Amino acid sequence: MRIGIDVGGTNTDAALIGDDGQVLATVKSPTTADVTGGVAAALAGLGATRVSAVMIGTTHFVNALVEAARLEPVAAVRLGLPATAALPPLVDWPDRLRQAVEGAVYLCHGGCEYDGAPISPLDPDELRGVAADIRRRGLRTVAISSVFSPVSDAHEREAAQILAAELGPEVHLSLSCEIGRVGLLARENATIVNAALRPLAGRTVAAFGEALRVAGIDAPLFLSQNDGTLMDVDQARRYPVATFASGPTNSMRGAAYLSGLTDCAVVDIGGTTSDVGILVGGFPREAAGEALVAEVRTNFRIPDVLSIGIGGGSLVAEDGTTGPRSVGYRLTEEALVFGGGTLTATDLAVAAGLADIGDRDRVTHVDPQRPLKLIAERVSEAVDRMRTSSAPLPVVLVGGGSVLIQELPGFDDVRRPAHFEVANAVGAAIAQVGGEVDRVFSGPRERILEEAKSEAIIRAERGGARAGSVRIVDVEELPLAYLPGDATRIRVKAVGDLDLEKIDA
């Protein structure tokens, strides 16, 4: 049996999945300020201790970035002189985040041109001087970026060896070649974000482990990533940025599992927002290019999700419009059905007979028809914006707030599967292990494609996937005409089933 947990802004959802794939038990508990309290309560609610693994999806790290809280000052080391000096690291960050994250900025020699030729030689003495200043400032985490490191990561890795030797194991190092894609500033930003979260990641993973211990569970712990796959606790400590947007991803994966559909639109309606995404081959379609996270430009993988301000806690105006303002976690205090004085979308659902919670007698005066129609129209418009063709597209509704939708204008195939209210936890529980390659290759097309696929499979197996279960689920090719040697940027994603025997060993 497996336990999947998804920590949302309002509720922490949990699901127990049997060895046969059946959902055996589910529970919802309020998300607590320290996050782990809600996890402990969810585990206690399930009441299962003899499980093979626990998978957790959390908003803890992205919330820290949005709030500019619990972040560690970072030493940002960029290899690129004499180029790139005009735009130093953190140049495009909002002031409040920059003040929280900026420890020191260092521009050093190194990096390569688009064809792999070095911009300038790496200077070990220069880096040792940087290490001395980092030590003097007492900084504990370092972000290393290099010009065109997706073409050649040699300078980043050599710099990391020098800094590690000078600073010791107590200082964390994050390398841009392991985190982002082509595009220096956006890749560097993602690396700095990751570095700022490293100490928090260590504390959070330890707290999750303690929650399992208190619940009497002795099983491997995994965190879900934003591509629908898992990472173990060591990876989570090193790459906390990979958990960003794992909540919508878990919901989409859970929707695919519960509905049996692999290609569809998914609408996840929670307490505050409705997240709309597209499943392709059972996995979320990824956003193309750069993504803004807390107003910071990044280019690491993230699902293509459109969020609109409609949820179970959304306020209903006099003209019938709903959202984007929401009572959030105060729903059980402020909604009419719970004795409050605020008309919310949950009150509409109860008045229309779509939900049976609270005191229905308190909303007998509410006419829900027009507001519910407007909600359906807005959600339908959001789904229509996300589709890429006019072909018929099934829509799967999940999340506790999805009871607000009975039909969507323009979409004939609308489904709400069993256990829809905890699809996010189910998605975490059934997540697989992934391996991804995204870099520039040179040579004949067939050879480099095979090389990229083999590398992705090996990475998945090293990550804990069972040998023989790994399959290629996505391949992207982008010929780079400006590079010599038939250069092509190739992204390959492979996934496989978790090998618990390998993990236990």
Side-chain angles (χ1 to χ4, degrees), residues 8-11 30-33 271-272 312-314 326-335 338:
T10 304
N11 291 307
T31 296
T32 55
T272 303
S314 296
S326 171
V327 297
Y329 64 88
R330 301 187 306 277
L331 178 66
T332 55
E333 302 170 9
E334 298 194 17
F338 294 114

Side-chain angles (χ1 to χ4, degrees), residues 151-404:
V151 175
S152 173
D153 62 3
H155 279 184
E156 277 193 18
R157 298 198 181 278
E158 186 178 348
Q161 290 178 354
I162 294 171
L163 293 176
E166 295 292 319
L167 296 172
E170 65 275 6
V171 174
H172 305 296
L173 302 178
S174 295
L175 278 61
S176 80
C177 61
E178 297 177 346
I179 293 172
R181 296 169 174 170
V182 173
L184 175 62
L185 291 182
R187 183 176 73 253
E188 182 176 67
N189 287 345
T191 310
I192 293 172
V193 168
N194 190 77
L197 292 168
R198 288 283 296 269
L200 176 64
R203 297 192 299 270
T204 302
V205 168
F208 285 153
E210 177 63 14
L212 264 63
R213 189 193 67 78
V214 170
I217 295 176
D218 181 16
L221 171 64
F222 300 88
L223 268 68
S224 56
Q225 302 187 80
N226 47 23
D227 67 346
T229 62
L230 297 170
M231 57 181 172
D232 62 25
V233 291
D234 289 336
Q235 286 179 294
R237 293 187 187 99
R238 293 183 61 190
Y239 308 113
V241 74
T243 67
F244 284 17
S246 61
T249 300
N250 285 339
S251 293
M252 285 190 274
R253 289 278 291 146
Y257 184 79
L258 294 171
S259 68
L261 296 174
T262 58
D263 296 87
C264 61
V266 176
V267 180
D268 177 20
I269 305 181
T272 303
T273 62
S274 296
D275 298 322
V276 182
I278 303 295
L279 279 170
V280 180
F283 285 86
R285 184 179 72 197
E286 292 190 11
E290 298 176 351
L292 274 177
V293 181
E295 300 182 68
V296 176
R297 280 193 310 135
T298 64
N299 65 357
F300 59 91
R301 66 190 183 204
I302 198 165
D304 187 10
V305 174
L306 174 61
S307 296
I308 58 175
I310 293 178
S314 296
L315 275 62
V316 182
E318 292 184 2
D319 63 356
T321 58
T322 304
R325 294 179 57 202
S326 171
V327 297
Y329 64 88
R330 301 187 306 277
L331 178 66
T332 55
E333 302 170 9
E334 298 194 17
L336 295 182
V337 294
F338 294 114
T342 305
L343 179 60
T344 68
T346 294
D347 296 314
L348 299 177
V350 174
L354 304 177
D356 185 18
I357 56 175
D359 184 358
R360 187 174 182 179
D361 290 340
R362 297 184 61 86
V363 292
T364 54
H365 65 287
V366 175
D367 183 1
Q369 299 308 314
R370 173 174 165 76
L372 289 176
K373 179 182 178 182
L374 293 176
I375 288 173
E377 289 174 352
R378 284 191 61 196
V379 172
S380 178
E381 179 185 352
V383 176
D384 200 49
R385 288 172 59 186
M386 292 295 288
R387 67 194 304 175
T388 57
S389 76
S390 59
L393 182 68
V395 180
V396 180
L397 302 175
V398 295
S402 66
V403 294
L404 294 167

